[in-house]
Amino acid sequence: DSGVTQTPKHLITATGQRVTLRCSPRSGDLSVYWYQQSLDQGLQFLIQYYNGEERAKGNILERFSAQQFPDLHSELNLSSLELGDSALYFCASNIGGRGDDTQYFGPGTRLTVL
Amino acid sequence: AQSVTQLGSHVSVSEGALVLLRCNYSSSVPPYLFWYVQYPNQGLQLLLKYTSAATLVKGINGFEAEFKKSETSFHLTKPSAHMSDAAEYFCAVSDLAGAQKLVFGQGTRLTINP
């Protein structure tokens, strides 16, 4: 158990819908990262937050957005869903500030868009 | 931009045999390198990381990896495979000075034959 929790574990929805994925980092960690894992794209970095502020952005679609709240949990919002958004979404956390900090991964949320 | 190449999307070895999973990286600055393991229906777990200290890095479950700057490689090895090692393995790079995001290779699925 990494200490990072993600809810829900599974999510099945229809095209055009909007969903919210939630992540609670390890106690004491300030930085949260979101990654998408799909068969065709592999594991891709989406976005990083550090202590409530956006720190870095990857190949995140405009239909996707995220935020980190004062209690440091984070939410990833996916809207106007398409079939291709079906993937495993991981959240990771660490103390933040250094590239050699280990990122601890949650169990993931499996999103299926029908 | 950094990148990671894992040679061989599937590797199959017999129980008790040597495990060798290959990873080559591209980075304009000295990198931090990581190996993560993903068991079925689970998140990613850190096996080991290189952070510019010793070039031979020992990790959990008997795995180790050697950083070779001249070959831009960070191959993962284990002297004797166990059935429980069957999983997907990911090599990743994080740069020293920039964003702390991880850039992952495509992954190598390791199968252990009895």
Side-chain angles (χ1 to χ4, degrees), chain B residues 37-60:
Chain B
V37 61
Q38 184 180 25
Y39 297 103
N41 300 314
Q42 293 188 28
L44 282 78
Q45 180 184 4
L46 181 74
L47 277 176
L48 49 79
K49 66 179 181 182
Y50 167 76
T51 59
S52 75
T55 56
L56 182 61
V57 182
K58 293 189 184 298
I60 62 170

Side-chain angles (χ1 to χ4, degrees), chain A residues 31 33 35 37 40-43 45 48 55-56 88 90 96-103 105-107 110, chain B residues 32 34 36 38 41-46 49-51 88 90 94-96 98-106:
Chain A
S31 200
Y33 308 76
Y35 293 87
Q37 185 179 32
D40 52 346
Q41 299 288 333
L43 262 165
F45 168 74
Q48 177 201 4
R55 173 67 68 89
L88 198 47
F90 286 110
R98 290 174 56 90
D100 60 345
D101 285 341
T102 298
Q103 291 184 26
F105 283 76
R110 183 170 296 281
Chain B
Y32 295 135
F34 303 79
Y36 280 86
Q38 184 180 25
N41 300 314
Q42 293 188 28
L44 282 78
Q45 180 184 4
L46 181 74
K49 66 179 181 182
Y50 167 76
T51 59
E88 186 135 22
F90 293 92
S94 167
D95 69 65
L96 181 67
Q100 294 137 34
K101 64 178 185 182
L102 292 174
V103 175
F104 286 91
Q106 285 298 104

Side-chain angles (χ1 to χ4, degrees), chain A residues 29-66:
Chain A
D29 284 354
L30 299 177
S31 200
V32 169
Y33 308 76
W34 286 97
Y35 293 87
Q36 179 194 59
Q37 185 179 32
S38 61
L39 283 174
D40 52 346
Q41 299 288 333
L43 262 165
Q44 298 232 329
F45 168 74
L46 295 178
I47 197 164
Q48 177 201 4
Y49 277 81
Y50 177 78
N51 203 20
E53 300 289 327
E54 183 184 301
R55 173 67 68 89
K57 236 175 181 177
N59 296 328
I60 187 166
L61 299 170
E62 283 192 16
R63 300 184 285 108
F64 295 3
S65 65

Side-chain angles (χ1 to χ4, degrees), chain B residues 48-59 62-69 73-78:
Chain B
L48 49 79
K49 66 179 181 182
Y50 167 76
T51 59
S52 75
T55 56
L56 182 61
V57 182
K58 293 189 184 298
F63 284 94
E64 63 182 37
E66 186 171 8
F67 173 73
K68 292 187 177 180
K69 186 177 177 181
S73 69
F74 190 56
H75 301 330
L76 182 71
T77 60
K78 181 173 180 177

Side-chain angles (χ1 to χ4, degrees), chain A:
Chain A
D1 184 356
S2 67
V4 178
T5 60
Q6 290 186 248
T7 56
K9 192 164 186 173
H10 300 279
L11 201 47
I12 301 174
T13 188
T15 54
Q17 295 298 304
R18 173 188 169 94
V19 297
T20 298
L21 313 184
R22 182 187 168 104
C23 168
S24 293
R26 294 186 321 153
S27 177
D29 284 354
L30 299 177
S31 200
V32 169
Y33 308 76
W34 286 97
Y35 293 87
Q36 179 194 59
Q37 185 179 32
S38 61
L39 283 174
D40 52 346
Q41 299 288 333
L43 262 165
Q44 298 232 329
F45 168 74
L46 295 178
I47 197 164
Q48 177 201 4
Y49 277 81
Y50 177 78
N51 203 20
E53 300 289 327
E54 183 184 301
R55 173 67 68 89
K57 236 175 181 177
N59 296 328
I60 187 166
L61 299 170
E62 283 192 16
R63 300 184 285 108
F64 295 3
S65 65
Q67 54 184 326
Q68 186 178 29
F69 294 86
D71 67 352
L72 300 177
H73 91 271
S74 178
E75 292 181 357
L76 179 67
N77 300 295
L78 316 177
S79 61
S80 303
L81 285 167
E82 301 174 0
L83 296 177
D85 298 328
S86 295
L88 198 47
Y89 291 85
F90 286 110
C91 166
S93 76
N94 62 14
I95 293 172
R98 290 174 56 90
D100 60 345
D101 285 341
T102 298
Q103 291 184 26
Y104 295 89
F105 283 76
T109 293
R110 183 170 296 281
L111 173 67
T112 303
V113 182
L114 301 175

